[in-house]
Amino acid sequence: MCAWMAGRAAAAPRGPYGPWLCLLVALALEVVRVDCGQAPLDPVYLPAALELLDAPEHFRVQQVDHYPPANSSLSSRSETFLLLQPWPRAQPLLRASYPPFATQQVVPPRVTEPHQRPVPWDVRAVSVEAAVTPAEPHTRVLFHLKGQDWPPGSGSLPCARLHATHPAGTAHRACRFQPSLGACVVELELPSHWFSQGSTTRAELAYTLEPAAEGPGSCGPGGENDPGEQALPVGAVELRPADPPQYREVPLDEAVTLRVPDVPVRPGQLFSATLLLQHNFTASLLTLRIKVKKGLHVTAARPAQPTLWTAKLDRFKGSKHHTTLITCHRAGLTEPDSSSPLEQSEFLWVDFVVENSTGGSIAVTRPVTWQLEYPGQAPEAEKDKMVWEILVSERDIRALIPLAKAEELVNTAPLTGVPQHVPVRLVTVDSGGALVEVTEHVGCESANTQVLQVSEACDAVFVAGKESRGARGVRVDFWWRRLRASLRLTVWAPLLPLRIELTDTTLEQVRGWRIPGPAEGPVEPASEAADEAERRARSCHLQYQRAGVRFLAPFAAHPLEGGRHLMHLLGPDWLLDVSHLVAPHAHVLDPRVASLEDGRILVGREPGVTSIEVRSPLSDSILGEQALAVTDDKVSVLELRVQPVMGISLTLSRGTAHPGEVTATCWAQSAHPAPKQEVALSLWLSFSDHTLAPAELYDRRDLGLSVSAEEPAAVLPAEEQGAQLGVVVSGAGAEGLPLHVALHPPEPCRRGRHRVPLASGTAWLGLPPASTLAPALPSSPAWSPPATEATVGGEQQVAGSVGGSMRVRGKFERAEEEARKETEAREEEEEEEEEEMVPAPQRVTDLELGMYALLGIFCVAIFIFLVNGVVFVLRYQRKEPPDSATGPTSPQPHNWVWLGTDQEELSRQLDRRSSGPPKGEGGCPCESGGGGEAPTLAPGPPGGTTGSSSTLARKEAGGRRKRVEFVTFAPAPPAQPPEEPTGAPAVQSILVAGEEDIRWVCEDMGLKDPEELRNYMERIRGSS
């Protein structure tokens, strides 16, 4: 069809109207092109409920324009979920239910990189040391179970075994996760022969998880062999020959620098501070005043070069502080040094010792005040003082590590207005593998507050809804005393506006489907039952279509370094279903036109145009909007698509796009039903506007559903347990049994033609007979001989019948006999209202629209052609001879040019005219001034023919020339003198012609100037 129309467009006319016709044809082709690539009908799915249990934070996800998924059908449904918190306290369950049937399964373990293997725990491994030396040959790794707080006594926590692999061998050690923190530390001592004397080597670290052994805090002896591909990587650690000491240098003045150790010290530990002098230092006397608090003592002062300097130590005790005065004298002359004057060399060593008791296990600081004094300088000059704090702790603290329950955060605060928090706990790792939580004297700061914020107590990071964007790997810094640590998280932010998807954006009235409405007028308590039924029937009105509503949003993270390249959660083609979050903030602008039920069903109320809006709970901004229309056009329910459900089966699978991706697929079981087994019926309504809707979208009170079976007492109505329609099989034969389901209006609105089913569908329980078709059974109660019927949605419920067998066949069949009987029933009814008496018009398809457009274009082209012909005729009709009377026997008029010399014949004609009746007066139309007189031809006898002739004769010197005579034969007027011969032609001179004759002659001779025409007329009169 499209190729034919394209050929017609190519063969467009090439005349003056051709371009316009081509344009109209091109517009028509744009309309028809939509039908050439028309998409199929909306897919269907089994409306079973899929939900996650014991998963505190999760989302349904779907691909763009792929809902339901391609693998969904009338008997199956597939959904994809995203678990954000990787593993709660108990493994989550996924439940599938279609009342009264339900099933559930445990969600399979997540898949981890790099081997794509499922593991039952979500573990974060942090290496404490980046390098080790022979002096400290221990490497430590912290293992943390993310997701939640683990209560004391959790005996199901596993063990983590650390594997170190080096070219010289392997080493293993394990630890068991402890409750509350859900963490443990493995401290593994590396063999001494792994350390090379002259170079740095590397050891690869990996870990495995294994069940804990019996007994508190014990792990099994396994894992001494190479774990191979089962181990998960941690990283690498460097093995250095020696580790340079950690120092910090602070200048005391321009020439003296203080070098102090930058590590915590233990009680009873001896440590030293070093003073450095520049080579150009010339003073011979130097005094160093050191003030310390109790618990710290200066034990000695040792010159680095005793031959050049001497040191004297004096101690002064106070109530709060101890003061030590060190006086240094130059002992001899300095030998010439070829090094740079700005270079420094060691000058003095000062030894300190820490008392054994620090008053507790928590680390404390000991301030030390340093002050240089020179001869002639004020002893208490503040400008030369420097305070150095020594961290003293009874524990050998190796690192500060923040523990977060999650490493990524989906920021839904802009949609809900509720801040989201991720708890953070700070712990220190001690030598020996001990973990201690730190809660006091903690500092923290977020590197980007536009993405993520941190609480004042440094115990959580959060988003409040005012953040402008997301980011991947945003950093939050923590510090405690001199220890610092960083935590990196990924924040996914929604990209606005929201995407609001409706299964149908135009809701129309359903023909014949009337539902009860509010009763009009007061209710009389003494009214009879018949009057009450009549009143309820009058309150019924037409049902509008309903549509499902979903609110979707893509989530993305911006790059930290800036730029426009976004990283999407799961991928750019995936959307998160946020309907459960934004439904309280969604509403219809005009509630008279439509309304939202439960935030997921759109119900039409009255004709109009409106939209669904989602407003921000934090401001008046609009997060998303979708227009919709409710019209009074009528649609019909074409058929019911029926799917029997005798059980639910479920399968789960893990995805690879995200560790928390889970896909669930459920099917309707169709096994051979046992006696007294309940069978639920899933229904889909197919409308004439090419839309499909599950029966679950409509109120159960508005659905009058009936079930018919061929065999009596084959089925019984089931107790309502949430399903739209269900029956109980009381007996199942070897052959299949047809099951007919019909849709009626509710019982209060069934009167007249409304008792006829709106639509019906047929399903088979078991295999249908190969030689016979499905028996056609009427759905109306008036046509039920041996068969019985089950009704749902009305006020009555009688026994129904449905058979069951192995499989379902012929779900969409509809018997011709049933359709014929329904048609006859409609013709016999006389109580139909006015809007129901007209046949339900179906929606015009796109192909029909295109054909109508082409037909209109062809009509316009024909009209243009006719207008063109009329214009042509009107343009040249002025050159036609004047109209004369036309008799029934008059000949066809002709125009003649007479070339002759018969003067006698001309005189005879003129004499004949001179004896006629008196001439009328007229003006020559060729003259622009007044009109001259011209005789007119008297009417001739009836039935005769007369002619008007114009004769022009000119005489020139030398003789007589030929006369030119213009003769026009025309039908004679109705009145003619009786003496005129009938068959002779009448010759009329130009002097007696009408206005049109003179105008025609004048214009044909080229005489248009009024003066020339006047002279010409005078010459004609003179010659006559």
Side-chain angles (χ1 to χ4, degrees):
M1 181 65 190
C2 296
W4 175 82
M5 299 186 68
R8 297 292 298 176
R14 300 182 180 275
Y17 300 98
W20 294 101
L21 291 179
C22 292
L23 178 60
L24 293 176
V25 171
L27 294 177
L29 286 178
E30 289 295 329
V31 178
V32 180
R33 188 180 303 170
V34 179
D35 187 79
C36 297
Q38 185 178 7
L41 294 177
D42 294 338
V44 296
Y45 57 90
L46 180 68
L50 296 173
E51 56 182 348
L52 271 171
L53 306 178
D54 297 330
E57 190 174 3
H58 65 276
F59 289 91
R60 298 174 187 264
V61 296
Q62 72 174 63
Q63 286 186 300
V64 178
D65 299 329
H66 284 82
Y67 186 85
N71 58 347
S72 297
S73 65
L74 198 64
S75 60
S76 65
R77 181 176 187 177
S78 181
E79 290 279 357
T80 302
F81 296 87
L82 178 64
L83 284 76
L84 297 181
Q85 292 187 1
W87 286 119
R89 183 169 304 170
Q91 286 185 318
L93 299 175
L94 202 148
R95 175 183 174 88
S97 62
Y98 191 85
F101 309 106
T103 184
Q104 64 185 19
Q105 284 188 15
V106 177
V107 176
R110 64 190 294 266
V111 176
T112 59
E113 297 291 345
H115 306 298
Q116 298 295 324
R117 293 185 302 99
V119 293
W121 305 93
D122 186 15
V123 178
R124 176 192 175 200
V126 181
S127 180
V128 176
E129 288 90 4
V132 294
T133 60
E136 286 287 341
H138 298 87
T139 179
R140 302 172 183 87
V141 177
L142 180 144
F143 297 97
H144 176 225
L145 290 176
K146 296 182 292 184
Q148 66 178 24
D149 292 333
W150 299 91
S154 296
S156 61
L157 296 182
C159 288
R161 186 170 297 276
L162 180 65
H163 307 272
T165 304
H166 189 267
T170 58
H172 313 270
R173 192 171 183 180
C175 71
R176 184 174 181 178
F177 290 95
Q178 300 300 319
S180 181
L181 290 176
C184 69
V185 176
V186 174
E187 185 177 72
L188 178 62
E189 183 178 0
L190 303 181
S192 59
H193 64 274
W194 286 14
F195 296 90
S196 176
Q197 297 295 331
S199 62
T200 300
T201 59
R202 294 167 60 91
E204 297 294 335
L205 303 179
Y207 73 96
T208 55
L209 298 177
E210 57 187 43
E214 296 183 358
S218 60
C219 295
E224 298 300 330
N225 299 324
D226 188 4
E229 295 184 355
Q230 297 181 356
L232 299 174
V234 175
V237 61
E238 293 185 354
L239 281 67
R240 299 175 180 174
D243 189 12
Q246 299 179 6
Y247 289 114
R248 186 163 61 99
E249 294 183 353
V250 180
L252 295 180
D253 61 7
E254 294 82 0
V256 182
T257 301
L258 176 66
R259 178 187 293 170
V260 293
D262 192 20
V263 292
V265 295
R266 307 277 305 273
Q269 180 180 354
L270 181 65
F271 63 95
S272 300
T274 304
L275 270 72
L276 305 177
L277 285 181
Q278 292 184 358
H279 290 174
N280 58 356
F281 184 78
T282 58
S284 58
L285 180 62
L286 174 64
T287 302
L288 179 63
R289 188 182 298 270
I290 303 175
K291 184 184 297 185
V292 297
K293 281 189 175 183
K294 289 183 178 180
L296 190 64
H297 301 280
V298 178
T299 59
R302 299 176 290 114
Q305 298 179 356
T307 58
L308 299 179
W309 292 89
T310 59
K312 180 183 178 182
L313 181 63
D314 298 319
R315 297 183 180 90
F316 305 93
K317 293 184 178 181
S319 59
K320 295 182 178 181
H321 299 85
H322 299 310
T323 303
T324 302
L325 192 65
I326 302 175
T327 305
C328 299
H329 294 271
R330 190 184 294 271
L333 297 177
T334 304
E335 298 180 358
D337 193 352
S338 59
S339 60
S340 173
L342 299 181
E343 289 185 4
Q344 295 180 341
S345 59
E346 294 183 355
F347 160 65
L348 183 67
W349 295 319
V350 181
D351 298 333
F352 294 85
V353 66
V354 183
E355 293 182 356
N356 289 330
S357 177
T358 59
S361 61
I362 300 178
V364 295
T365 57
R366 294 285 187 261
V368 179
T369 303
W370 301 78
Q371 183 178 1
L372 287 175
E373 299 176 3
Y374 296 99
Q377 181 183 9
E380 299 294 335
E382 296 292 335
K383 63 178 181 179
D384 294 329
K385 286 184 178 181
M386 194 278 296
V387 178
W388 167 46
E389 290 184 349
I390 299 176
L391 181 62
V392 180
S393 175
E394 292 185 358
R395 299 182 290 110
D396 185 7
I397 301 176
R398 294 294 179 173
L400 176 70
I401 299 177
L403 303 179
K405 291 186 178 180
E407 293 183 341
E408 65 177 356
L409 176 64
V410 177
N411 185 8
T412 59
L415 307 179
T416 61
V418 179
Q420 290 183 280
H421 298 79
V422 175
V424 178
R425 305 174 73 172
L426 290 177
V427 297
T428 57
V429 179
D430 294 356
S431 177
L435 286 177
V436 178
E437 185 176 0
V438 178
T439 57
E440 297 180 353
H441 309 290
V442 178
C444 54
E445 182 182 11
S446 174
N448 192 340
T449 57
Q450 296 297 321
V451 177
L452 187 65
Q453 303 183 51
V454 61
S455 62
E456 294 182 359
C458 301
D459 58 353
V461 292
F462 67 95
V463 287
K466 299 296 185 179
E467 293 77 16
S468 59
R469 61 191 183 94
R472 189 175 181 88
V474 62
R475 189 183 78 254
V476 180
D477 297 323
F478 297 90
W479 58 86
W480 177 75
R481 303 300 181 182
R482 294 185 182 181
L483 302 177
R484 302 183 67 90
S486 297
L487 178 66
R488 291 189 177 272
L489 294 94
T490 298
V491 179
W492 305 100
L495 299 181
L496 301 177
L498 296 177
R499 181 168 179 169
I500 305 177
E501 286 192 357
L502 303 178
T503 57
D504 191 0
T505 57
T506 303
L507 306 182
E508 299 168 321
Q509 289 181 336
V510 182
R511 181 170 297 278
W513 192 352
R514 305 181 67 81
I515 59 176
E520 298 180 358
V523 180
E524 299 180 3
S527 61
E528 298 181 357
D531 297 338
E532 176 68 15
E534 183 67 21
R535 184 185 61 83
R536 293 175 61 184
R538 284 198 303 267
S539 67
C540 294
H541 58 86
L542 284 178
Q543 167 84 281
Y544 281 96
Q545 289 178 301
R546 296 190 175 192
V549 184
R550 293 189 307 276
F551 302 92
L552 309 171
F555 282 76
H558 293 73
L560 286 177
E561 63 276 3
R564 298 182 179 180
H565 180 69
L566 301 180
M567 179 173 293
H568 292 78
L569 181 61
L570 290 180
D573 296 334
W574 287 89
L575 303 173
L576 270 65
D577 190 342
V578 294
S579 301
H580 61 290
L581 300 178
V582 303
H585 312 291
H587 66 281
V588 179
L589 285 183
D590 192 350
R592 297 173 301 176
V593 176
S595 62
L596 272 177
E597 291 186 357
D598 300 330
R600 64 181 186 90
I601 300 177
L602 181 65
V603 182
R605 299 298 182 188
E606 64 179 36
V609 178
T610 183
S611 62
I612 299 178
E613 277 190 359
V614 179
R615 289 196 171 268
S616 171
L618 302 175
S619 63
D620 293 333
S621 60
I622 298 177
L623 301 180
E625 185 177 12
Q626 174 63 48
L628 62 100
V630 180
T631 67
D632 54 2
D633 297 338
K634 304 295 190 303
V635 296
S636 302
V637 184
L638 297 181
E639 65 170 343
L640 294 180
R641 303 190 179 186
V642 188
Q643 171 63 47
V645 181
M646 289 173 279
I648 293 292
S649 59
L650 178 66
T651 60
L652 303 179
S653 61
R654 276 283 185 175
T656 58
H658 188 276
E661 180 184 354
V662 180
T663 300
T665 304
C666 66
W667 291 276
Q669 295 179 0
S670 57
H672 192 284
K676 297 184 179 181
Q677 178 181 352
E678 187 169 358
V679 179
L681 299 178
S682 171
L683 303 178
W684 279 77
L685 282 66
S686 176
F687 295 98
S688 58
D689 61 348
H690 307 291
T691 60
L692 294 165
E696 282 74 11
L697 289 181
Y698 293 88
D699 194 342
R700 294 183 56 181
R701 296 171 296 181
D702 299 337
L703 293 169
L705 299 172
S706 62
V707 182
S708 301
E710 183 181 17
E711 300 178 3
V715 294
L716 297 174
E719 297 181 1
E720 297 187 11
Q721 300 181 6
Q724 294 285 358
L725 182 61
V727 293
V728 175
V729 179
S730 59
E735 295 182 354
L737 183 68
L739 187 68
H740 302 276
V741 182
L743 173 65
H744 299 264
E747 185 65 29
C749 301
R750 296 186 193 179
R751 63 185 184 92
R753 291 190 182 180
H754 298 295
R755 295 188 181 275
V756 179
L758 301 175
S760 62
T762 303
W764 280 86
L765 293 178
L767 290 174
S771 58
T772 60
L773 296 176
L777 298 177
S779 300
S780 175
W783 299 83
S784 43
T788 56
E789 191 176 79
T791 306
V792 176
E795 296 181 352
Q796 300 178 355
Q797 187 162 354
V798 298
S801 59
V802 167
S805 185
M806 289 297 294
R807 299 180 347 189
V808 178
R809 289 290 181 91
K811 294 179 286 184
F812 310 128
E813 297 177 3
R814 181 175 180 177
E816 296 181 358
E817 182 180 353
E818 181 182 354
R820 178 179 58 81
K821 292 181 179 181
E822 292 177 1
T823 305
E824 293 175 358
R826 290 192 180 94
E827 294 175 354
E828 293 175 358
E829 296 292 344
E830 298 179 357
E831 299 178 8
E832 183 64 43
E833 296 184 1
E834 181 178 355
E835 74 251 8
E836 306 272 332
M837 295 175 66
V838 181
Q842 295 186 0
R843 174 173 292 182
V844 181
T845 63
D846 296 332
L847 179 60
E848 292 174 346
L849 288 176
M851 297 303 298
Y852 292 151
L854 284 181
L855 182 60
I857 291 171
F858 295 149
C859 293
V860 170
I862 294 173
F863 178 74
I864 293 174
F865 177 76
L866 293 177
V867 170
N868 187 23
V870 172
V871 171
F872 181 81
V873 171
L874 293 178
R875 179 179 299 175
Y876 295 101
Q877 71 175 353
R878 296 182 179 180
K879 294 186 179 182
E880 294 295 331
D883 295 336
S884 301
T886 304
T889 60
S890 61
Q892 180 70 22
H894 299 281
N895 296 330
W896 300 86
V897 179
W898 184 287
L899 297 178
T901 57
D902 193 351
Q903 182 65 29
E904 290 78 15
E905 178 66 18
L906 180 59
S907 299
R908 184 177 65 80
Q909 296 293 342
L910 294 177
D911 292 342
R912 185 182 303 159
R913 289 301 176 190
S914 62
S915 61
K919 304 174 181 177
E921 296 182 359
C924 178
C926 298
E927 295 179 357
S928 62
E933 295 182 1
T936 59
L937 180 64
T945 59
T946 62
S948 63
S949 63
S950 300
T951 305
L952 175 60
R954 291 190 179 182
K955 294 182 180 180
E956 298 181 2
R960 207 173 86 186
R961 302 187 62 181
K962 290 184 179 182
R963 297 178 182 271
V964 180
E965 181 178 359
F966 298 91
V967 181
T968 301
F969 298 92
Q976 290 291 344
E979 65 274 3
E980 183 68 31
T982 304
V987 180
Q988 178 182 357
S989 173
I990 196 171
L991 299 177
V992 295
E995 291 181 9
E996 294 297 326
D997 295 317
I998 298 174
R999 182 189 303 273
W1000 176 29
V1001 174
C1002 296
E1003 290 180 358
D1004 287 350
M1005 293 180 64
L1007 302 176
K1008 296 182 181 181
D1009 187 82
E1011 187 64 27
E1012 293 179 359
L1013 295 176
R1014 190 176 297 107
N1015 295 338
Y1016 176 72
M1017 295 300 296
E1018 290 176 357
R1019 287 198 301 273
I1020 293 176
R1021 292 191 183 94
S1023 62
S1024 60

